Amino acid sequence: MFAAGKTDIGKLREENQDKFRICAINDETVFSVVCDGMGGAASGGLASEMTSNAVYERVQLSYRPDMEPKSVKSLLITSVEAANSIVYNKSLEDVHDAGMGTTCVAALVHKNLLSITSVGDSRAYLMDNKGITQITNDHTIVEYLYSNGMISEEEMKSHKMKNVITRAVGVEKTVEPDYFEIDLTGGEYILICTDGLTNHLTNEQIYEISYKQPIEHAVNELIDAANSRGGKDNITAVLISV
């Protein structure tokens, strides 16, 4: 099992508000968390840094290889909930930090089980010899409109509220993370990324660049590809090969 990640400021932003952490907990377990501070919101970079550090440290401290899947689920969800409290309380201390928030995707791979929790519109994908599948759900207004049949998939791409998220870490007193659990057979790639990548690359382009490639090379290629297509936002990509 191998993991690699990279973040880039992109072509237009003055600050990189994306943060990520990767950890090989043991020979059979890899953990990573990716966060994207809310674009344009006060102290988004601080929110993403606090969240990524809080989730990472809590998982490192509490994870045990003999944990049952339900305990791993509880650990990931409570880690994001704890980070939410930290960021929310910080936002109340200083008017300059009011309203800050971040997306969060955290993934833990132990042997042949993938556990993921997410908030916001940063994504996790699974790639295998059949293709690429998005695991997480976007917590956005356009996703809500699409899911309820109010706009088409094509309209989602150019909708004026495309980047408005409906759920984020640190904005409210509590947060409800999604959770996903997938059995792996070996040979899969897991991608965790921010929307600075997915706004520029299609699923098919991501798959072509990434799957079966050396992961350190692939994350660099993903960043370069997003920048070559405009690089309008911060870009972060983490790849885990099973």
Side-chain angles (χ1 to χ4, degrees), residues 21-205:
R21 302 288 299 271
I22 301 175
C23 171
I25 297 177
N26 56 47
D27 291 342
E28 297 180 312
T29 311
V30 169
F31 173 76
S32 182
V33 56
V34 170
C35 297
D36 177 2
M38 289 172 59
S43 304
L46 177 61
S48 61
E49 182 172 16
M50 292 176 68
T51 298
S52 60
N53 288 340
V55 173
Y56 178 86
E57 290 165 6
R58 190 179 179 101
V59 170
Q60 269 207 319
L61 180 66
S62 302
Y63 176 78
R64 302 185 314 277
D66 61 349
M67 273 185 165
E68 295 292 329
K70 64 180 180 181
S71 297
V72 174
K73 175 181 179 180
S74 177
L75 173 60
L76 292 181
I77 290 175
T78 57
S79 295
V80 175
E81 290 173 338
N84 185 82
S85 296
I86 291 170
V87 175
Y88 178 75
N89 289 333
K90 176 65 176 176
S91 73
L92 300 179
E93 295 175 2
D94 191 329
V95 64
H96 298 294
D97 295 329
M100 67 178 177
T102 182
T103 69
C104 181
V105 179
L108 191 146
V109 182
H110 176 65
K111 295 183 179 178
N112 293 322
L113 185 66
L114 168 62
S115 303
I116 290 179
T117 189
S118 69
V119 176
D121 63 351
S122 294
R123 295 177 178 176
Y125 290 89
L126 181 70
M127 291 179 270
D128 57 22
N129 56 15
K130 297 178 182 177
I132 181 171
T133 304
Q134 182 176 332
I135 301 170
T136 52
N137 300 314
D138 293 347
H139 299 142
T140 61
I141 288 179
V142 293
E143 181 63 34
Y144 172 82
L145 294 174
Y146 173 71
S147 298
N148 286 274
M150 300 169 72
I151 60 174
S152 67
E153 185 173 0
E154 191 62 31
E155 288 174 316
M156 292 176 71
K157 300 175 183 178
S158 58
H159 198 280
K160 64 181 180 180
M161 304 189 78
K162 176 181 178 181
N163 296 318
V164 179
I165 62 177
T166 56
R167 203 184 305 181
V169 175
V171 176
E172 304 288 346
K173 190 173 183 178
T174 60
V175 71
E176 183 180 353
D178 287 346
Y179 180 77
F180 309 88
E181 196 171 277
I182 296 173
D183 292 320
L184 305 172
T185 58
E188 295 94 346
Y189 276 27
I190 296 106
L191 170 67
I192 314 167
C193 60
T194 58
D195 65 349
L197 184 76
T198 54
N199 282 340
H200 288 298
L201 300 177
T202 65
N203 289 2
E204 292 73 21
Q205 289 168 333

